[in-house]
Amino acid sequence: MHRTECFVASTVGGFKIINGPPNKGKGLMDRKEDLEPSNETSPPNPARVRRIETCSELMNQAMECLSKNDVGCVMGILEELVKDKCHDGRLASKEIAYGVKEIVHKLWLRGNDELRRELLTKLMVELGVSRNWFRSVFNTNTRMLNKWLGRYVLMGDQTAQQNMMTRLPQSREDRWRLGLRMSEVIDSIEEMLRHDFGWSERFMCEKMWKFVGVDVDAFREYSVDPCQWLNALTAKELNDTRWLGWYITDMVIKTKRHTLYLRLNTTNTISAIHFVTILKQIQTPNINMNRKSKTKIGTEYLIRIPRTSWPWPLDKAEAISMLRRLGKVDLRKALAAATDGDGSVNYYGGVAIFNITFGVNDIYEVNILGEILQQYFGVTALITRNEEHGYMNMRLNGNDAVSVLGEIVPFMTHPLRRLRADLILVNENGELSQGEFEKLYDMTKYRGMNDIKRKHAIEVLTQAAPQTTTIK
């Protein structure tokens, strides 16, 4: 037989040889008798025999405890079974491993939320049982397991669920041991919040406004909905020109090989809610919290996408030049998103003021935008440099500001800027008296550096979107 041909022959000890004879010298297959089939089998592994005996005894004890409904006894024996590797059919036996799964399954069906939390925590967090093993117990999928982990483990016990607004978050180490990405944790808990607590995006919006001192009902009396911005969150595809607008202003994109990381960072109270909702149009963002100073904690929001899925130039100057090629509707969307990012909408002395701010070196970008506003909307922007900080500013006043706001407001998603724009437009239409307008607009004002609308990102997330604060 040629040495490159494969053949199989049983040998002493039960092993099978699938390779040909060695090139040189005498080897295992040199002798003719070694090529003859053998009826001998491997001797039993003493360690495995002892493990099977131990596991069998523990299984009997566990079944006896189950018959007495002694859950504490079963949990103690289950821990011993896992520590002795009885759940692993390769080390014990398939019958024993199946028996361990049966015990877990019976406990789960008998258990309340507290017992299920204890099962998941004991097996997966403390003892390191794999996700695949636990899924096989229930023949379930990853989505359902993630939901259970979010509900029973990461949200803690029932008391913690009832006091979820003030609970401490789980650690990164716990998420790693559970095999969860943080965005999966957020999705799991959000699903529970919707089902068990009636949470919704509108609930989140109203909680945010209450936190910053805006009376939602007062606005609604005049047919102004402070949560109207939620209806504009329709940029589900990256080729929507709003992603171009967010990128040329507030969004940072980092490249790592074939992956792009879209990042938004803020300490602002209202932007903390806004940034979550922007990125969630594509996927649930990961959220990192970082201390900026002794009194200021920032929140960073991040999603990861393939490089090939981003349709816009990564160079900011090239990206803003793309605005020249857009039709009017797409341009309105991009301009609305730029206003969401680094814009501002104000009202001083009876005059509406609309600004978009650019960086210190963004002279080209701000001038391009000024030209586009003149070409498409027939308005002339005032372009200046801030003397104190050096950044560039594009500004429209009065009727020009009102005209452009009227064009872009349907696509604006920043809660405060959208609310101010809606209020100014209602006022311009003569639907409010001066006193009514000032009363409502006053609620949206910032009052100094210590205003609650600043530097309270963590607090507002905890109250309005607690699923985002399950990490530290």
Side-chain angles (χ1 to χ4, degrees):
M1 180 179 291
H2 194 277
R3 67 171 181 264
T4 60
E5 295 179 9
C6 293
F7 61 94
V8 179
S10 298
T11 63
V12 177
F15 295 100
K16 292 183 178 180
I17 307 301
I18 61 172
N19 298 316
N23 293 331
K24 295 181 180 180
K26 294 182 178 180
L28 181 62
M29 304 207 45
D30 282 344
R31 296 182 301 164
K32 182 179 180 180
E33 59 267 27
D34 288 337
L35 296 177
E36 298 297 328
S38 172
N39 293 324
E40 297 181 28
T41 58
S42 301
N45 186 320
R48 190 180 190 194
V49 171
R50 287 194 298 271
R51 177 175 285 113
I52 291 174
E53 290 175 352
T54 301
C55 294
S56 297
E57 184 178 346
L58 288 171
M59 289 286 297
N60 291 333
Q61 294 175 19
M63 296 307 294
E64 185 178 348
C65 292
L66 270 174
S67 66
K68 297 177 181 178
N69 203 28
D70 188 344
V71 174
C73 170
V74 180
M75 287 296 295
I77 296 173
L78 183 59
E79 182 174 356
E80 291 185 50
L81 285 165
V82 173
K83 286 181 177 178
D84 288 336
K85 306 297 182 184
C86 302
H87 67 299
D88 190 336
R90 298 167 301 176
L91 300 177
S93 71
K94 291 182 179 179
E95 292 77 12
I96 293 291
Y98 180 80
V100 176
K101 291 180 180 180
E102 279 290 293
I103 292 173
V104 173
H105 192 257
K106 288 178 179 180
L107 279 176
W108 185 272
L109 294 179
R110 294 186 186 189
N112 53 22
D113 284 4
E114 185 176 354
L115 177 56
R116 291 177 177 182
R117 178 179 64 86
E118 187 178 355
L119 264 175
L120 284 163
T121 304
K122 176 69 69 177
L123 293 176
M124 296 187 67
V125 179
E126 296 179 13
L127 298 176
V129 173
S130 73
R131 290 165 58 88
N132 285 339
W133 187 92
F134 208 91
R135 283 176 52 206
S136 70
V137 173
F138 303 97
N139 192 28
T140 191
N141 55 32
T142 299
R143 179 178 176 82
M144 181 57 69
L145 179 57
N146 288 343
K147 181 179 178 179
W148 289 343
L149 290 170
R151 179 184 179 92
Y152 298 120
V153 179
L154 297 171
M155 286 304 296
D157 57 26
Q158 290 177 333
T159 301
Q161 290 176 21
Q162 293 167 0
N163 297 285
M164 60 191 300
M165 297 302 182
T166 57
R167 68 178 296 279
L168 292 174
Q170 297 291 326
S171 67
R172 285 192 176 97
E173 289 76 14
D174 279 351
R175 297 200 312 278
W176 178 81
R177 294 177 75 177
L178 291 169
L180 285 169
R181 292 193 301 271
M182 198 265 288
S183 57
E184 293 177 326
V185 176
I186 293 174
D187 284 339
S188 297
I189 296 174
E190 183 174 305
E191 188 173 348
M192 185 203 71
L193 287 171
R194 290 182 189 276
H195 183 268
D196 295 347
F197 295 90
W199 184 90
S200 66
E201 282 76 13
R202 185 161 284 273
F203 170 90
M204 172 190 70
C205 173
E206 293 184 2
K207 275 284 187 180
M208 174 198 70
W209 286 127
K210 183 177 180 181
F211 184 86
V212 299
V214 170
D215 185 347
V216 172
D217 292 331
F219 279 85
R220 286 180 180 154
E221 287 181 15
Y222 300 96
S223 301
V224 177
D225 182 5
C227 295
Q228 184 65 28
W229 61 278
L230 291 170
N231 297 327
L233 292 166
T234 57
K236 306 295 185 182
E237 303 291 338
L238 289 168
N239 60 6
D240 189 302
T241 52
R242 280 171 285 186
W243 289 101
L244 175 61
W246 287 316
Y247 177 53
I248 63 178
T249 51
D250 226 16
M251 184 180 293
V252 174
I253 296 182
K254 298 293 185 182
T255 304
K256 187 175 182 181
R257 300 186 67 183
H258 303 297
T259 302
L260 297 182
Y261 295 85
L262 279 57
R263 299 175 183 266
L264 290 164
N265 202 314
T266 189
T267 60
N268 182 275
T269 309
I270 295 173
S271 292
I273 297 293
H274 179 230
F275 287 172
V276 173
T277 60
I278 285 181
L279 294 178
K280 198 173 180 182
Q281 294 174 108
I282 300 299
Q283 62 182 244
T284 299
N286 287 310
I287 303 176
N288 298 313
M289 300 177 186
N290 46 77
R291 185 171 292 279
K292 300 290 187 180
S293 66
K294 290 183 178 180
T295 59
K296 187 164 63 172
I297 298 177
T299 52
E300 181 187 59
Y301 307 83
L302 164 71
I303 62 173
R304 182 173 60 183
I305 61 171
R307 171 67 184 86
T308 54
S309 67
W310 181 252
W312 311 108
L314 289 175
D315 180 83
K316 286 286 182 83
E318 290 182 31
I320 202 164
S321 294
M322 289 282 295
L323 297 177
R324 287 172 162 165
R325 309 175 201 170
L326 301 179
K328 193 165 184 180
V329 173
D330 284 337
L331 180 61
R332 289 163 62 200
K333 289 181 177 180
L335 187 57
T339 307
D340 291 335
D342 279 329
S344 64
V345 178
N346 297 288
Y347 197 85
Y348 294 122
V351 177
I353 302 171
F354 169 55
N355 293 277
I356 296 181
T357 302
F358 289 84
V360 174
N361 299 315
D362 293 342
I363 299 174
Y364 172 79
E365 288 85 346
V366 72
N367 279 297
I368 287 287
L369 192 56
E371 291 174 13
I372 291 170
L373 288 173
Q374 176 67 51
Q375 178 182 350
Y376 283 87
F377 301 104
V379 296
T380 302
L382 177 64
I383 296 174
T384 59
R385 181 182 292 278
N386 182 277
E387 294 182 0
E388 182 179 356
H389 303 288
Y391 56 76
M392 302 298 298
N393 189 58
M394 187 210 71
R395 175 171 172 168
L396 296 172
N397 297 327
N399 291 334
D400 286 350
V402 172
S403 174
V404 172
L405 287 175
E407 294 279 356
I408 68 173
V409 72
F411 307 107
M412 290 175 63
T413 61
H414 189 281
L416 185 65
R417 291 162 202 161
R418 173 64 183 265
L419 180 58
R420 285 185 174 180
D422 283 336
L423 188 59
I424 288 170
L425 293 174
V426 168
N427 185 55
E428 288 294 320
N429 289 336
E431 299 175 33
L432 298 173
S433 68
Q434 189 61 28
E436 290 168 339
F437 173 79
E438 290 177 358
K439 173 188 172 183
L440 296 174
Y441 185 81
D442 189 63
M443 286 188 241
T444 72
K445 288 182 179 178
Y446 285 85
R447 292 174 175 80
M449 294 306 297
N450 294 322
D451 192 287
I452 197 168
K453 299 181 190 68
R454 307 182 195 273
K455 305 176 187 177
H456 288 78
I458 304 297
E459 293 92 328
V460 75
L461 286 172
T462 301
Q463 292 196 26
Q467 69 271 30
T468 63
T469 59
T470 59
I471 50 87
K472 63 181 177 182

